[in-house]
Amino acid sequence: MQLGLIGLGRMGGNMRERLRAAGHEVVGFDHNADKTDVANLAELVEKLAAPRVVWTMVPAGKITEDTIDELAGLLSEGDIIIDGGNSKFTDDQPRADRLKPKGIHYLDVGVSGGIWGFTNGYALMVGGDAEIVEHCRPIFDALKPAGQFGFAHAGTHGAGHYAKMVHNGIEYGLMHAYAEGFEILEASELVENVPAVIKSWREGSVVKSWLLDLLDRALDEDPKLANIRGYAEDTGEGRWTVDEAVRLAVPAHVISASLFARFASRQDDSPAMKAVAALRNQFGGHAVKR
Amino acid sequence: MQLGLIGLGRMGGNMRERLRAAGHEVVGFDHNADKTDVANLAELVEKLAAPRVVWTMVPAGKITEDTIDELAGLLSEGDIIIDGGNSKFTDDQPRADRLKPKGIHYLDVGVSGGIWGFTNGYALMVGGDAEIVEHCRPIFDALKPAGQFGFAHAGTHGAGHYAKMVHNGIEYGLMHAYAEGFEILEASELVENVPAVIKSWREGSVVKSWLLDLLDRALDEDPKLANIRGYAEDTGEGRWTVDEAVRLAVPAHVISASLFARFASRQDDSPAMKAVAALRNQFGGHAVKR
Amino acid sequence: MQLGLIGLGRMGGNMRERLRAAGHEVVGFDHNADKTDVANLAELVEKLAAPRVVWTMVPAGKITEDTIDELAGLLSEGDIIIDGGNSKFTDDQPRADRLKPKGIHYLDVGVSGGIWGFTNGYALMVGGDAEIVEHCRPIFDALKPAGQFGFAHAGTHGAGHYAKMVHNGIEYGLMHAYAEGFEILEASELVENVPAVIKSWREGSVVKSWLLDLLDRALDEDPKLANIRGYAEDTGEGRWTVDEAVRLAVPAHVISASLFARFASRQDDSPAMKAVAALRNQFGGHAVKR
Amino acid sequence: MQLGLIGLGRMGGNMRERLRAAGHEVVGFDHNADKTDVANLAELVEKLAAPRVVWTMVPAGKITEDTIDELAGLLSEGDIIIDGGNSKFTDDQPRADRLKPKGIHYLDVGVSGGIWGFTNGYALMVGGDAEIVEHCRPIFDALKPAGQFGFAHAGTHGAGHYAKMVHNGIEYGLMHAYAEGFEILEASELVENVPAVIKSWREGSVVKSWLLDLLDRALDEDPKLANIRGYAEDTGEGRWTVDEAVRLAVPAHVISASLFARFASRQDDSPAMKAVAALRNQFGGHAVKR
């Protein structure tokens, strides 16, 4: 099957390779001349036979919106745009509505798997109409893992990105649970070999997981994580998950705490703790650090 | 190798089978006449050749203490007691100290794996002297999973139970991260097929894990978990993990929130929320439910 | 000074009385015929001399928007609309922009004080242009408490409602801190007279506050809060505060936990805890409640 | 009334002055020669007429235990020891039991008020037998604030320190609620004058409190808290409160989050966030800071 693929970075580049390895014909576009197959989107569209399927894998927000709008001007009735980037789920229905008058179909796909997806396959959560999903099935089948899992048609427009958002919210919580356990073990006087304990959990334990395998891998490289600063960015999905929890009145102590810990990791000093220190000084005469 | 095994419940009974399947000779004792191999601990000790190894797998606290004390009176110099139950790590060094004058060695083992351990093997975290650990290695090798993981000598007396405690603390956090994600998905208007989304994560996703496989399994049986009440006991390790975090000055927002959620799940009404409702009524005239 | 006041409920009705007691002329409108001074907004506007000041004190959202739009059609250049309701801060600048072409000025005011404001005065946080704030100062002076505090010009359009929003977020946290302390005292075996302890804190202690006085008052009426259910609504500001914390990357563990506790207080059963119970059953064979 | 007072630091020194101002005869002991009235405890005891009342106000833990043990050797049947320091409530019953065979009575008193107690009076929470409490009432009356509040007989031995512990746990939560609100206001683009907003809350608002007054005072001195580092020690009571919440199965999200924030404020780097950063690098190739 033919696919136009826009954005050949860490994710898109690997996806092109995985799709080609599965026998699909991928026409890739990237602003990086070393990576791109075509000079521009017009040439990309030209190289595909109708009905065309074009997958965007570019940064969420304005770049994705602009790319989809440019594509909308180049594509024809019956063509399909798939956004596999980290768009916010609220962007999907408006996009589908914008494309519909031109007869262009739209799918949103949440893609999980990171840099391991090329080898292991990607978990795909798709939003949109069932018949369009079916039409694109060969592409999804090539991207997903070889086993029986890794693909879901989650619902209507936005459901794919929504499912991926919650996936990432959970991911925050899982990582932080391991992280707290790691910190307690590191602080303990009794456990002499923390990496060995974590390694032991990889089989037989209740906490075995792929993330645990990766933590073990990181500890193999750096047993105390001495060369890594405790600093973590966030890419939007964690925030949106908490916003959704708030909107839907779902108590989300764990996911929000994981998100807040990332915020704190990026602060040189905590304004809140300045206020606490000031208050302790005011009522108790406790010394403050200046 | 010979092993005396005391406590043949859900965990101990399966362990006896797994050990026997591996060719070990297990003499089991249980108060349940249908399960026990011997009439009492004296007979159990009698049936083992010195140096004997006896593994206790009974409820933590008084029952374990009493069992170990009774064993101490029956065993001889050079024999080994292993406690594989959910004892608190602070009990282990005092036990080792009590047994030492009699020349009896002691190991504490944290055992993870639940009812799946018989098939998959158990993850074992061991505390105690290296030479005693080595002596018992054939037992550990039979209990652990077939692969390269699932066993760690964590440190001195108590380190095995400590590692298992932290393992369970992490487990609380992992479960609650999935649980919050499940609740958000259930509340969402967009995601039409929550079980399908969760199933899709089993391969390729960043959140794939054994707990996720089990959540999928539970949803296969009951897609809305309609027949399960949101009520969860706790068995001590989660509380001890939070106590340790507090003692060691480790911020443990995620693990403590998971523990507190269990506490809340067991309350018919929340005294704290009564106070909140009373306050809102006092200052704002907001209605209270009576 | 003359003031048109729309909405004569629990808050607005008391404000009318407090303003009149201070010598101001208040023309009030309410849909409740027993409370209103005029038949409709047109009559209210007619009764005021230009430049008119009209204060809306109606439910946030559509009712407030509709009221302001209707007023905009009735008022003249140089008149002033003040919204003292619980509007979201993001609504204020658009309103000001909508009113500006007609020469109508706009202020947003966060009003705190609840049902005690009539007696104690209201804390007022105002957003908008300084000269308009000054023009309305006699109204603010009458509504605020007698002392030197209780009024702030917080900033431009929206700043008043923003300050009130954060005020309420803090309020959630304060209430829940007392609530948790109350629950621990209630659960303790040592403290025999919980209300006496809480009463003692009203003077001399670090935790003395107006909310504490009210908690003591509630305990005077019902020492165990036995007649109050642990159930609390939320009116928007707490959610917006958490959304803002998320947007601004501020760790807000305390305020979000207080909000989540309210969410939980309204659930008959917790979907998240169903998932936890299901998982414990799956891996450990732990019984579930059905 | 006569009182022996041991420990004349920030708290004890002020208490001596307040008691003397009320007409009581205080014999104070301190290792600081500039402060002490007597050379040693023997001389202190000698100067008091039986039945003697001696109040310890020294650091909790070994120093308090040693002081009480030394006093026990010097005092006589019918004398009374009062510990007003920050002892853990679990120490009180054992002390009372140790003193009882000698006929020495014991009271534990939680003292709140900080450096303001000299002027405002101290809130006192007392544990012990009612008749002993009554005997010491003149001392309590002099130390407590002038109004009707500020004193409670909380229960049996330990109840005084227990009530003070929970008081401090609440204090942590209150401070952190204000602190989070302060940080959100500081981060906001709309609120131009944060100190003015906070000052306005001192009257009329729902969040008015003594701690708020102190926050306003701190902001008067340093409107951005620019000269204070966000660093806060903890003195034990917060930890014990969380431990008690865990023991009693009380969900204490707010108090524990406030405690954990203090822990985090003292870390140069977060081991937990190192693990999160390592994991993000492993699965997503996200850059880590080194």
Side-chain angles (χ1 to χ4, degrees), chain D residues 1-193:
Chain D
M1 187 170 169
Q2 278 190 321
L3 181 78
L5 180 58
I6 302 171
L8 302 169
R10 208 153 43 192
M11 290 292 284
N14 278 343
M15 288 164 66
R16 177 171 62 176
E17 293 319 299
R18 188 171 171 94
L19 285 163
R20 284 178 176 165
H24 294 292
E25 184 190 340
V26 183
V27 181
F29 172 75
D30 196 280
H31 285 294
N32 184 330
D34 293 343
K35 296 182 178 170
T36 196
D37 300 322
V38 290
N40 49 48
L41 295 194
E43 191 186 332
L44 178 140
V45 169
E46 219 166 83
K47 292 214 169 178
L48 301 171
R52 300 170 193 87
V53 183
V54 183
W55 183 301
T56 57
M57 206 67 196
V58 296
K62 185 168 162 39
I63 299 180
T64 295
E65 294 299 342
D66 290 352
T67 304
I68 289 175
D69 286 345
E70 187 180 347
L71 276 176
L74 298 166
L75 294 175
S76 312
E77 197 177 327
D79 289 349
I80 299 168
I81 296 176
I82 301 174
D83 177 30
N86 285 321
S87 293
K88 191 167 179 188
F89 67 93
T90 45
D91 291 341
D92 293 309
Q93 186 65 54
R95 277 182 203 158
D97 293 344
R98 240 152 60 215
L99 296 170
K100 197 170 192 179
K102 307 184 179 184
I104 302 172
H105 305 290
Y106 177 71
L107 297 179
D108 57 284
V109 182
V111 179
S112 180
I115 54 180
W116 297 79
F118 172 68
T119 310
N120 298 350
Y122 301 90
L124 306 172
M125 298 139 257
V126 185
D129 293 344
E131 64 204 300
I132 308 303
V133 173
E134 276 320 299
H135 180 85
C136 302
R137 178 72 76 154
I139 298 297
F140 300 141
D141 282 346
L143 288 172
K144 72 177 276 298
Q148 59 180 310
F149 307 117
F151 177 84
H153 180 201
T156 186
H157 298 300
H161 282 136
Y162 197 98
K164 175 59 167 32
M165 172 193 78
V166 175
H167 165 282
N168 282 32
I170 291 170
E171 178 192 302
Y172 278 50
L174 300 180
M175 281 197 278
H176 214 75
Y178 288 119
E180 288 182 3
F182 169 73
E183 182 166 338
I184 294 169
L185 287 174
E186 274 293 314
S188 142
E189 307 85 356
L190 278 177
V191 174
E192 289 156 28
N193 193 339

Side-chain angles (χ1 to χ4, degrees), chain A residues 64-88:
Chain A
T64 295
E65 293 300 343
D66 289 353
T67 304
I68 288 175
D69 287 345
E70 187 181 347
L71 275 176
L74 297 167
L75 294 175
S76 312
E77 197 178 328
D79 289 349
I80 298 168
I81 296 176
I82 301 175
D83 177 31
N86 285 322
S87 293
K88 191 166 178 188

Side-chain angles (χ1 to χ4, degrees), chain B residues 217 229 267 282 289, chain C residues 183 217 229 267 282 289:
Chain B
R217 202 165 176 269
R229 236 185 78 198
Q267 295 184 321
Q282 288 287 334
K289 295 215 172 192
Chain C
E183 182 165 339
R217 202 165 176 268
R229 237 185 77 197
Q267 295 184 320
Q282 288 286 335
K289 296 217 172 191

